[in-house]
Amino acid sequence: MKTFFKNFVVRVLTFEAKLLLRRARPKIIAVTGSVGKTSTKDAIYHAIKDQVSARKSVKSFNSEIGVPLSVLGLDNAWSNPFLWFKNLFDGLLVALFPGKYPDVLVLEMGVDRPGDIARLTEWITPDVVVLTRLPNVPAHVEYFPTPEAVIAEKLTLVDALAADGVLVYNNDDEKIRQIVEGVRQKAVGYSRYSQSQFTATQDEVVFQNDTITGMRVDITHVNETVSVEVGGGVGVQHCYNIAAACAVASIFDVSLEQARESLVTFVPPAGRMRIIKGIKNTLIIDDTYNSSPVAAERALSVLFELPHFKRRIAVMGDMLELGQFSVREHERVGEQVADGADVLVSVGVRARGIAEGAMSHGLSKKVIMQYDEAVRAGRELQNFIQPGDVILVKGSQGMRMEKIVMDLMAKPDLSDTLLVRQSRQWQKKI
């Protein structure tokens, strides 16, 4: 019955969203990739919002039900059937009487199972497609026959691009560069480590009163360079988010300087390389929204590069939905942990492979702590951490690693605004 009801709701919401798009005819920016979708989507919205009438997907609404909700401007009703019927009624009203609908929609589109993107592109034709990253072992590969099948599913979005559309792509990703060669539409590249139309350089950590408050990065386009500050976040990940946002803004005639001014209000979404003040004068890097091998590698690189900390503690949870690649990928992440972490805390059965990989590459067993779940790990870490520590917390959504951050943050009363999955519905989940 639940499956029948869900399918019914998806069909009706999709019909209403399709009708609304036909009537309102907004330009559609679709963001996909295996990492960084939500942060990139949010940065794009901030870059254009002051010059263009725009709306973005709420949180990570990127599924067959999340995208119609975003188009219609409706909330997730979770498991409440009465609210879902209200959504269906409200969606029909919006579709029939759109009023002053946004000129531009910034939509995130994700892949969990085969056919996910294909079903969305049956009724959505994007005007701009943004490709973030296509790693060798992407998230959700467990449900596909091969990693290449995951990539092919995501590239369905590129195939659906309007004839006069624009592909905005990560020029640092070799797989994506090869794909761009066969795209007939205009393509605009962004990058951090290679030359492209929008290149991020000179990224650095910003300090205030000896405390990290964010980061700064320069974005260069042709002969113009602007410096953009990202409050509350650190890491090369945000270089890509900002560069992609500036690239998309240019398509809508938003200048580099205008984009910079608008991005002043951009704060990375919760759980995406956010910096949070911890107890005992420590610093937490909160990257708890989700995890995959490439995202874990990026996060660890940031942990190792931050200056002026006594100990670098990597708290690493299970990376889920990796299927046959799970064992090796956890061990490989562990190998990287050994390169720069002073302490490793593994959380979950699969994350034991991270500990094994770290030990095999020289990290002493004496500085490795292993737990089966997040709650106990968070409580015991409260006593273990010391002033001057920097603590990276990362793991897949199902590991609920944000519970560890809550135990370690200096102001837990701010958890509702700073951490992921703090809604009443999420708190009910085990």
Side-chain angles (χ1 to χ4, degrees), residues 401-413:
M401 300 291 282
E402 70 275 6
K403 295 180 179 180
I404 296 176
V405 179
M406 183 178 292
D407 282 334
L408 301 182
M409 62 193 299
K411 297 182 179 180
D413 55 308

Side-chain angles (χ1 to χ4, degrees), residues 106-342:
V106 190
L107 302 178
E108 177 182 338
M109 296 190 182
V111 171
D112 286 327
R113 302 290 195 282
D116 282 351
I117 293 289
R119 282 187 289 273
L120 290 173
T121 55
E122 289 177 357
W123 58 279
I124 290 179
T125 301
D127 299 281
V128 179
V129 168
V130 182
L131 283 180
T132 61
R133 183 78 188 271
L134 299 176
N136 292 328
V137 182
H140 311 300
V141 68
E142 179 179 6
Y143 304 109
F144 290 80
T146 64
E148 290 74 22
V150 184
I151 293 173
E153 180 69 27
K154 292 180 183 293
L155 294 181
T156 304
L157 193 60
V158 179
D159 296 335
L161 189 61
D164 59 347
V166 181
L167 173 63
V168 177
Y169 67 97
N170 184 342
N171 194 63
D172 287 343
D173 189 307
E174 184 177 351
K175 285 188 175 67
I176 293 179
R177 287 202 307 271
Q178 294 173 355
I179 292 162
V180 170
E181 294 176 0
V183 174
R184 67 185 186 280
Q185 293 94 337
K186 179 181 177 181
V188 178
Y190 65 92
S191 62
R192 170 57 184 89
Y193 299 108
S194 62
Q195 288 296 316
S196 64
Q197 288 98 320
F198 291 84
T199 305
T201 58
Q202 304 298 322
D203 49 305
E204 60 181 1
V205 175
V206 175
F207 287 86
Q208 186 175 3
N209 299 326
D210 295 327
T211 301
I212 294 178
T213 58
M215 62 175 290
R216 182 184 299 109
V217 59
D218 288 349
I219 305 295
T220 299
H221 174 57
V222 191
N223 296 320
E224 183 181 5
T225 299
V226 297
S227 183
V228 181
E229 286 202 16
V230 181
V234 291
V236 70
Q237 297 89 324
H238 300 312
C239 295
Y240 288 110
N241 302 336
I242 298 300
C246 291
V248 173
S250 71
I251 298 169
F252 293 89
D253 297 323
V254 177
S255 71
L256 198 59
E257 177 58 28
Q258 288 172 326
R260 183 201 67 79
E261 292 176 356
S262 296
L263 283 164
V264 169
T265 59
F266 170 66
V267 175
R272 280 86 162 185
M273 296 303 290
R274 288 282 293 271
I275 50 176
I276 296 175
K277 186 176 180 180
I279 58 175
K280 299 183 180 180
N281 195 29
T282 60
L283 184 75
I284 303 167
I285 305 174
D286 177 12
D287 203 26
T288 57
Y289 173 72
N290 213 342
S291 190
S292 66
V294 66
E297 291 167 5
R298 279 186 177 180
L300 286 167
S301 295
V302 175
L303 174 68
F304 301 161
E305 292 171 1
L306 289 181
H308 313 313
F309 288 98
K310 293 181 179 179
R311 295 190 303 178
R312 290 168 171 77
I313 301 175
V315 184
M316 310 297 291
D318 287 355
M319 298 181 293
L320 304 177
E321 300 179 356
L322 295 180
Q324 61 180 314
F325 302 95
S326 181
V327 173
R328 177 55 190 147
E329 289 304 307
H330 281 87
E331 291 176 349
R332 193 167 62 83
V333 168
E335 294 169 8
Q336 185 182 358
V337 169
D339 291 337
D342 298 297

Side-chain angles (χ1 to χ4, degrees), residues 315-318 345-349 351 371-374 377 399 401 404:
V315 184
M316 310 297 291
D318 287 355
V345 180
S346 72
V347 181
V349 175
Y371 297 91
D372 289 335
E373 46 84 29
M399 298 306 296
M401 300 291 282
I404 296 176

